Amino acid sequence: MEIRIKIQRFDPERDEAPHWRQYQVGAQPMDRVLDVLHTVRWQHDGGLAFRRSCGHGICGSDAMEINGRNRLACKELVKSLRQPITVAPMRGFRVVKDLMVDMTAFFEKYRAVRPYLMTDDAPPEKERLQSPEQRERYDDTTKCILCGACTTACPSFWANGKFLGPAAIVQAHRFLMDSRDQGAEQRAGVLNDASGVWRCRTIFNCTDACPRGIQVTKAIGDVKKLLVARSASPDGPPARAQRAGGPPSA
Amino acid sequence: MAPRTVVRHQFDAVIVGAGGAGLMAALEASKRCRVAVVSKLYPTRSHTGTAQGGIGAALANVEPDSWEWHMFDTVKGSDYLADQDAVEAMCREAVEVVYDLEHMGLPFNRTPEGKIDQRRFGGHTKEFGKAPVRRSCYAADRTGHMILQTLYQQCIKQQVTFFDEYHLLDLLIEHGRCAGLVALCLATGELHVFHAKSVLLATGGFGRMFKVTSNAYTLTGDGCAVAFRRGVPLQDMEFFQFHPTGIYGLGILVTEGARGEGGVLRNGRGERFMERYAPTLLDLAPRDMISRAIYLEIRDGRGVDGKDYVHLDLRHLGRDVIEGKLPDIADFVRTYLGVDPVKELVPVQPTAHYAMGGLPTTLEAQVLADGVSRPLIGLYAAGECACVSVHGANRLGTNSLVDIVVFGRRGGRHMANALASMDWPTMPAAPEARAQDLIGRLTSPASGESAAQIRAELQQIMMDHVSVFRVGDGLKEALGGLSSLRSRYQHVAVRDRALQFNVELEEALELGYLLDLAWATAVAALARTESRGAHSREDFPKRDDANWLKHSLASLHDDTVALAYKPVRITKFPPKERTY
Ligand SMILES: Cc1cc2nc3c(=O)[nH]c(=O)nc-3n(C[C@H](O)[C@H](O)[C@H](O)COP(=O)(O)OP(=O)(O)OC[C@H]3O[C@@H](n4cnc5c(N)ncnc54)[C@H](O)[C@@H]3O)c2cc1C
Ligand code: FES
């Protein structure tokens, strides 16, 4: 079958601004957008820049805007897409070339939530115990592959690039809900900050964009509730959030 | 072409690769010295993240188990080609590293008592082969993802220095010592020269030399090829594992854990054909045997609809097990095939999966300059690019994840300890010269062939003649084909002359690595006139211990591949016939 695909191109060494190019290429019935991008690269234009590695939705390299929605190119079958298929880089980060964006700021926010297990106690000789029910509480957010699809689909992030964004909050959730973790105190500051969770207006774009099916908006909600509960409890930190838009009740 | 800008760095140790092996080494080494991790991918994009089924360790959480049983299974699975001292070290330390991973936060599935849960996996047994045992520690079907994430998280905590999207081009090896490396910064096109007391390669496998593979597009054997070109031999290259259950047509893996949970294979007639090939372990026999069984069923006309695939039947597991323990698998099958594994059969075929061969190392991950006994000072290798050898002629499922963490850690530790007594190696006069030259050759010609065409032919040749079954004539044909592809490669022209993110250049470099490694693989496969583990010669169908109980070493001499051999280290388990 023939596929028409419009790709946003930008070569920083030649172009002043991004522009569109349309290609017509042959494709197999089961081809994914990634296969079509490869066909363009391998048969028409070797310079077409995009990231990819695993080819089946696990490494998080190839999130991009496909027909206006953030998707992994390796998981979108072309036969189910309206043509011409339009492919553009994720929004909100600097485009470095064609479909590649600079992910530095994304990973800075990731690091800001201290995405690692924090415990005060020395580990036991064997494993720490955790019941299947305790593990279930954070199972969903362990699926995150840090592709950036959620954060760059979020209108609050487009409006204010300082917003921590859904991906970093998902990572915080993964640890805050883990019965083994004791780092809630250290993480509360950045989450409660003016650029923290309260910028989320429950628009649900992130949940739609997540290629791993994570209930992102719900996870953000869980974190908000946790912060509210902490600020209400006598030994929790003072509530600093209200100025920045306030919790849902404000 | 104008020479590229050169940037210089100095670190005590540089680790190339940020998969499980590289990150584990980095965590260990960076406790005591200045370490940089150089990786062509963002660390979390590494292929370790795709490992599904689990990591094997005799924790005995759900039934009795011991590291000795694990060791026996690994040795037998390897068709007695693994070095038993290395296997022993791995199986003993597996237990401790799994607890370490848990302490770092890895979210393993749990038993009702809250311990790490374990499941069955191919070739893992109790009491030296009596029946399957639950040894694989897992986190749903994303164990590798969780290992990679957890190790990266710890690296952030420990503030390890990363050079993300830097592509290794050359190792600086002179007078039996490694002085550092040269890498291409993908974002700028600059060359970066790293002066280091020691370098650890953890660049992963090279399944992309085959047409159907479970491996990432980026698994092109870079570290192995770069060292090979610098005179380091490659060990046991004829052994490449085909995993029996790749999604038909795509090669994407369906974990053995699916059979560990009770899934069965059926031929076109609906028969559970493994009953005829491995009466005790059935669908949980080792991978080499099952892949051959599938090929034989297909050859005898019992594929599905006369085609080249069979079915994996998961229907009887029920929705809860499939969604709860194999959610990603269910998603892949639905997304890519439109098949619902709860109700329908899944079409599968063998897929090129794992390189048993690689850079020969000691038990401390030191690369052996002569392949036998002399460490190359300052050069280490761990993970899939290394060959210790713990997998011999065929790797058991869950043993690569053990390998990468155990030997990554051992390598990192040894590096850090050795540094104190090491002086700085002298740098060669123009360290970046070879790298400049390599890039120059690809980007200067005004016209020439495209790498993509040569790569497609390479993958077809390897699939046709160097995959599950091999035969002398076919291997000779493959070598002829490879030789002409190698000459054509000399005339590849990268059309894109951009400095920044030149993906066409990167792919051309990767093709060069694959061509060299495919060549070594085919040469070693033609020479080995026996069948052992994943190397199955139709013209020599029997294992031949009298002549071939030995490791091969392939090295590059003036544009030919020369072979040498070394004995296998056998400590506890003398070779026996391998039945399951
Ligand atoms: C689909 C799949 C499922 C698997 N499931 C299991 C399982 O359940 N259990 C198990 O034990 N094993 C499993 N394996 C095998 C196992 O996952 C791998 O063998 C192992 O993860 C390899 O780890 P590594 O650290 O050696 O390399 P990788 O994780 O592949 O990392 C390689 C690293 O090297 C870097 N690199 C490569 N070339 C260069 C270069 N030129 N310059 C700079 N950096 C470079 C990359 O950026 C990357 O960071 C599976 C494999 C696959 C493909
Ligand atoms: S290529 Fe890995 S997620 Fe798409």
Side-chain angles (χ1 to χ4, degrees), chain B residues 279-326:
Chain B
T280 311
L281 291 191
L282 297 161
D283 302 276
L284 286 177
R287 294 173 177 173
D288 56 333
M289 298 185 121
I290 302 190
S291 288
R292 280 196 292 276
I294 294 176
Y295 262 57
L296 291 174
E297 290 296 301
I298 291 168
R299 189 178 296 181
D300 292 346
R302 292 191 293 272
V304 177
D305 298 334
K307 296 218 186 91
D308 54 342
Y309 67 90
V310 296
H311 277 140
L312 175 65
D313 188 354
L314 303 176
R315 295 171 301 180
H316 53 289
L317 304 187
R319 186 173 298 277
D320 287 353
V321 170
I322 292 178
E323 306 293 354
K325 294 191 170 173
L326 305 165

Side-chain angles (χ1 to χ4, degrees), chain A residues 56, chain B residues 15-23 37-56 121 136 143-144 148 163 165-169 183 202-205 213-216 218-223 226 243 251-257 287 352-355 382-386 395-404 506 510 513:
Chain A
H56 62 279
Chain B
I15 288 162
V16 188
L23 294 181
V37 180
V38 169
S39 174
K40 70 176 179 180
L41 303 172
Y42 274 107
T44 57
R45 316 291 184 223
S46 304
H47 211 57
T48 291
T50 65
Q52 302 166 355
I55 173 166
F121 236 81
S136 166
T143 314
L148 187 65
F163 289 81
E165 302 197 317
Y166 282 66
H167 182 118
L168 166 75
L169 291 172
T203 52
T213 178
S214 64
N215 283 197
T218 49
L219 282 179
T220 47
D222 310 12
V226 167
H243 191 294
I252 297 170
L253 195 78
V254 176
T255 173
E256 203 165 284
R287 294 173 177 173
H353 186 58
Y354 185 83
E384 193 168 335
C385 70
R395 172 173 75 81
L396 288 192
T398 79
N399 270 356
S400 174
L401 293 177
V402 187
D403 173 4
I404 63 178
E506 193 181 21
E510 291 170 338
Y513 309 138

Side-chain angles (χ1 to χ4, degrees), chain B residues 367-494:
Chain B
V367 169
L368 292 164
D370 58 356
V372 184
S373 58
R374 185 166 48 85
L376 200 163
I377 311 293
L379 188 63
Y380 295 75
E384 193 168 335
C385 70
C387 182
V388 189
S389 150
V390 284
H391 309 302
N394 173 61
R395 172 173 75 81
L396 288 192
T398 79
N399 270 356
S400 174
L401 293 177
V402 187
D403 173 4
I404 63 178
V405 287
V406 167
F407 292 101
R409 188 168 72 160
R410 279 176 164 248
R413 194 172 286 169
H414 195 276
M415 276 176 119
N417 288 341
L419 284 172
S421 59
M422 284 168 87
D423 48 5
W424 281 94
T426 40
M427 284 292 259
E432 69 281 359
R434 275 172 72 136
Q436 291 271 25
D437 195 47
L438 180 66
I439 292 180
R441 256 186 294 135
L442 290 165
T443 51
S444 313
S447 68
E449 240 193 302
S450 87
Q453 178 58 33
I454 297 179
R455 187 179 50 233
E457 291 179 39
L458 163 71
Q459 292 167 337
Q460 191 64 53
I461 289 177
M462 294 302 284
M463 205 68 203
D464 289 345
H465 301 298
V466 200
S467 58
V468 175
F469 281 109
R470 300 161 173 182
V471 66
D473 288 344
L475 289 166
K476 284 184 197 143
E477 204 178 315
L479 280 168
L482 291 174
S483 149
S484 87
L485 293 183
R486 285 170 49 79
S487 345
R488 278 164 58 191
Y489 182 71
Q490 298 308 315
H491 306 287
V492 159
V494 171

Side-chain angles (χ1 to χ4, degrees), chain A residues 2-20:
Chain A
E2 287 285 305
I3 295 285
R4 281 171 301 131
I5 185 163
K6 260 173 74 182
I7 304 174
Q8 185 181 312
R9 303 296 305 265
F10 173 66
D11 179 348
E13 292 165 58
R14 273 195 303 219
D15 302 333
E16 298 264 304
H19 55 95
W20 293 92

Side-chain angles (χ1 to χ4, degrees), chain A residues 34 52-62 72-74 145:
Chain A
L34 180 62
R52 86 315 188 225
S53 184
C54 73
H56 62 279
I58 300 296
C59 74
S61 297
D62 59 345
L72 295 176
C74 64
I145 55 175

